Amino acid sequence: MEGERTPLLRKPSPIGSSPNLATQSSGLQWDPVRGTKAATCVLLALTLERLAYYALLANLLVFLSLGGNTPKEAMTAVLVVGAIAHFSALGGGWLADGALGRYWTLILGLGLYVIGFAMLTAVAGGILWSNTHASLPQLYIIFTCIGVAAGTVRANFPSFGAEQVRHGGGESVRKFFNWYYWCVNSGSLLGVGFLSLVAQEPATVAGGFLAAWGGAGAGVTLALVLLAVGKPYYVIYRPGSSPLLSTLRILHQGISGCWNLRKSNLQRRSPALSSRSNPNPVNSPSWLDYAKMRYGGSHHDSTVEDVKKLGSVLLLLLLLLPYWLVFFQIETGFQEQGVHLKIGLAPDNTFNIPTSWLSLFDQLFILGLIPLLNGFVYPALDRRGVRVTLFGRIAVGMALSLCAAVSAGLLETISMQHWHDGHHVEQIIHNRKYNSSDVSVLWQVPQYCLVGMAEVFAGVAGLEYVYSTAPKPLQAVAMGLLSAVEGIGSLLGTALIGALSPAWIPQDRDHFQGHLDYYFFLLAGIQGVTLVGFTISLIIKRGSNSRTAALPDSSRISNLSQTPNSRSSGTTVSSSTNTVLSS
């Protein structure tokens, strides 16, 4: 039986049988025309799914705020949705690899999407619960449903689409991922651009958000229909064993074996016996070695060694946590700041720009910067013999993330100063009055662009490192870890907001009595400390490499830095997973 052992760019590995088991659901062999039709259905469904997801993230904070929820509650809800989506990607990958297969897992995920948005639309229309502070616990049922749906499809859309064209060779796969990236960002632009205008421009909450959530629900329903209609054309692999479960078993056996040995030594209470049981401490096995057959485990040596290599991947992912803390401000802190800046653009303030529109600058900047780097900057540096390593790009991304947080903090400081100097503006978003300064919301554009630049460098390079460093049998697990760490970053942001409220992040009516600027500067400080530590470690490593022969990883990283880059929880995810898939 052939199992789907890797859910991303790798081709599924045959386990003990012929690859001819990879046939279309109609029973016909794969051909280019059918593959193109199958990939088209997948990409159209992806575009509609991303439209709905990003429309939710971009507008959820305002939706909850208009219902009477505090900034802390609204920001926390957005971060929780993102965290659930990221953590659910692990479960979505396991479900596809070991139980349902990718196609039926995608059908399940889109079905959950339809249910979640139907319930959210009912809330906006006053049919189910209400958009109030008292109903927030019930609303988390909807958020959980949509978050699980997002994580489930995020883990399977890219690999399922690539499987439809992989028999056409590497060029077909590269073209698919280019279109994949384009569709992800197109869906995001439509969701944030059009549905944000629909949601926030009308005079009543029910009218605007009822139409917006209804439109998003119609999008995921159409995505479900498209995916089902294309079934006769798909190449569908049977589920096999899950690498995630295998990794968890190795971890369990390693911990159990190490604990049992330590317990046995303590029971002996004899230094002599202990030394005879381990005569050569230098070559003593690590705790993971106890999962190997020769130490009483049930796994081959090579399998355990592959799991050990995930350690460096996990370390880098943890170092990127401060970057994710800043990144998630796009849907939280930056939105909270935006509603207290002047949103009127026309001379007579007849047109108010939706605050979520500012996040479009992040996406547009990414769309423009990646082709520039891949088509001109990186090739020019290569011709001059300048090697841009993955770690170097990550450091640049961290620095840009630091600048984004500082920019947001400075803007908030200036806005607060203007307000305290008497430059007040009272603006209406739907039927709710917001106190704001006379500083234009367009001054947020630099911080959004800086976050976009940071994503191009740190986000793309981090994903590229994870994919290239992880052993091939465990690339699915590595990508699951990446998604989980993004989720941890979202949860850390939630905890930070809870700790700083209401002192720094008060009620909207008391916004200018708080210190949102301190919050942004704190994020900048956390990112700055991490950047300094990361840079020092790179300098130490470079000095060590100059005194020894070049490490094998060096050439690999050098080569990878010349490969095409792409966009990420989005995820996200968000959006991070999507980045590496467009390579």
Side-chain angles (χ1 to χ4, degrees):
M1 176 182 293
E2 180 166 351
E4 289 184 307
R5 303 305 299 270
T6 54
L8 293 169
L9 293 180
R10 288 190 63 228
K11 302 176 181 179
S13 303
I15 307 298
S17 77
S18 168
N20 290 332
L21 285 175
T23 59
Q24 288 157 312
S25 62
S26 61
L28 300 175
Q29 295 297 319
W30 183 90
D31 68 74
V33 176
R34 285 178 174 270
T36 300
K37 292 179 179 178
T40 300
C41 289
V42 172
L43 290 172
L44 288 174
L46 167 74
T47 303
L48 293 168
E49 182 271 330
R50 290 289 89 184
L51 179 152
Y53 180 71
Y54 284 117
L56 175 70
L57 286 188
N59 295 286
L60 184 58
L61 184 139
V62 175
F63 176 67
L64 293 175
S65 296
L66 293 173
N69 295 283
T70 66
K72 171 188 173 182
E73 292 168 339
M75 293 170 70
T76 298
V78 176
L79 290 171
V80 168
V81 171
I84 293 173
H86 287 112
F87 283 114
S88 296
L90 280 171
W94 167 80
L95 194 63
D97 286 339
L100 298 180
R102 301 203 187 285
Y103 174 76
W104 289 110
T105 302
L106 283 170
I107 292 293
L108 176 62
L110 290 174
L112 286 174
Y113 250 132
V114 172
I115 295 172
F117 272 105
M119 295 172 68
L120 192 59
T121 303
V123 171
I127 301 172
L128 180 66
W129 303 319
S130 61
N131 180 29
T132 63
H133 172 76
S135 300
L136 189 59
Q138 292 93 321
L139 291 178
Y140 269 98
I141 298 175
I142 301 175
F143 301 154
T144 301
C145 183
I146 295 178
V148 170
T152 301
V153 300
R154 174 183 178 178
N156 292 284
F157 252 135
S159 50
F160 181 72
E163 288 167 0
Q164 310 311 313
V165 299
R166 73 182 184 91
H167 292 284
E171 182 64 23
S172 296
V173 174
R174 282 191 293 272
K175 286 182 178 179
F176 169 79
F177 283 131
N178 285 332
W179 280 109
Y180 181 95
Y181 174 77
W182 188 87
C183 288
V184 166
N185 286 275
S186 297
S188 176
L189 288 171
L190 289 172
V192 176
F194 177 68
L195 290 184
S196 294
L197 182 62
V198 170
Q200 298 186 39
E201 193 60 24
T204 62
V205 178
F209 282 102
L210 177 62
W213 301 147
V220 291
T221 302
L222 183 56
L224 178 60
V225 172
L226 281 170
L227 197 67
V229 167
K231 188 174 185 293
Y233 304 109
Y234 296 145
V235 175
I236 298 179
Y237 288 91
R238 301 174 185 174
S241 60
S242 171
L244 175 61
L245 291 180
S246 177
T247 302
L248 292 176
R249 292 190 189 101
I250 289 174
L251 294 175
H252 177 263
Q253 290 184 8
I255 294 173
S256 299
C258 185
W259 172 258
N260 291 336
L261 178 65
R262 180 171 297 182
K263 185 177 179 180
S264 176
N265 288 338
L266 289 174
Q267 289 175 347
R268 292 174 184 176
R269 296 184 182 277
S270 172
L273 288 174
S274 297
S275 62
R276 284 198 296 269
S277 65
N278 186 17
N280 190 1
V282 176
N283 297 323
S284 61
S286 68
W287 64 276
L288 275 178
D289 286 328
Y290 291 102
K292 296 178 179 178
M293 290 181 177
R294 54 176 164 158
Y295 292 108
S298 60
H299 298 272
H300 293 288
D301 287 12
S302 59
T303 306
V304 177
E305 292 301 321
D306 283 343
V307 174
K308 286 183 178 182
K309 294 176 183 177
L310 291 177
S312 61
V313 172
L314 183 59
L315 177 61
L316 178 68
L317 291 179
L318 293 176
L319 288 173
L320 286 174
L321 276 175
Y323 159 77
W324 291 118
L325 282 174
V326 176
F327 177 84
F328 289 130
Q329 299 311 306
I330 291 177
E331 291 93 17
T332 54
F334 292 176
Q335 295 289 318
E336 174 64 19
Q337 181 185 55
V339 296
H340 296 284
L341 298 172
K342 182 182 177 182
I343 61 175
L345 295 185
D348 54 355
N349 294 327
T350 56
F351 177 75
N352 292 335
I353 181 173
T355 55
S356 57
W357 270 15
L358 274 299
S359 64
L360 295 175
F361 286 96
D362 164 67
Q363 297 156 5
L364 292 172
F365 207 82
I366 292 170
L367 286 172
L369 185 58
I370 285 180
L372 177 65
L373 291 174
N374 289 334
F376 300 98
V377 177
Y378 289 148
L381 292 175
D382 291 338
R383 288 192 297 269
R384 288 168 174 76
V386 178
R387 182 168 62 92
V388 183
T389 67
L390 289 179
F391 291 145
R393 286 157 53 192
I394 290 172
V396 171
M398 288 181 176
L400 291 169
S401 177
L402 167 64
C403 292
V406 171
S407 175
L410 290 175
L411 176 60
E412 183 65 19
T413 299
I414 294 172
S415 175
M416 292 177 64
Q417 186 62 47
H418 275 238
W419 191 88
H420 288 298
D421 289 344
H423 301 287
H424 303 168
V425 175
E426 288 189 352
Q427 54 194 14
I428 304 298
I429 301 179
H430 290 289
N431 288 330
R432 183 171 180 178
K433 182 184 296 185
Y434 282 86
N435 293 323
S436 67
S437 70
D438 63 348
V439 178
S440 173
V441 72
L442 292 179
W443 283 106
Q444 283 191 312
V445 171
Q447 64 203 50
Y448 279 103
C449 291
L450 286 167
V451 171
M453 293 175 65
E455 186 176 357
V456 170
F457 286 96
V460 173
L463 290 168
E464 191 175 338
Y465 175 81
V466 170
Y467 180 76
S468 61
T469 303
K472 288 184 178 181
L474 295 178
Q475 284 177 340
V477 177
M479 290 301 170
L481 285 174
L482 169 65
S483 183
V485 169
E486 291 179 34
I488 292 173
S490 184
L491 291 179
L492 286 177
T494 301
L496 194 59
I497 290 172
L500 299 178
S501 298
W504 289 3
I505 309 175
Q507 297 270 3
D508 278 319
R509 64 177 180 271
D510 301 322
H511 175 82
F512 290 100
Q513 277 68 53
H515 277 288
L516 189 62
D517 53 342
Y518 290 178
Y519 172 65
F520 291 134
F521 289 137
L522 176 61
L523 295 179
I526 295 172
Q527 180 65 92
V529 171
T530 306
L531 174 61
V532 170
F534 185 72
T535 303
I536 291 175
S537 67
L538 290 183
I539 294 174
I540 294 174
K541 181 178 179 181
R542 186 174 182 178
S544 176
N545 290 344
S546 65
R547 293 189 297 270
T548 59
L551 295 176
D553 288 344
S554 300
S555 59
R556 183 174 74 244
I557 294 173
S558 176
N559 292 333
L560 284 169
S561 66
Q562 302 174 22
T563 60
N565 294 324
S566 54
R567 182 175 179 165
S568 179
S569 168
T571 24
T572 190
V573 39
S574 96
S575 58
S576 331
T577 300
N578 299 332
T579 311
V580 72
L581 292 172
S582 60
S583 295

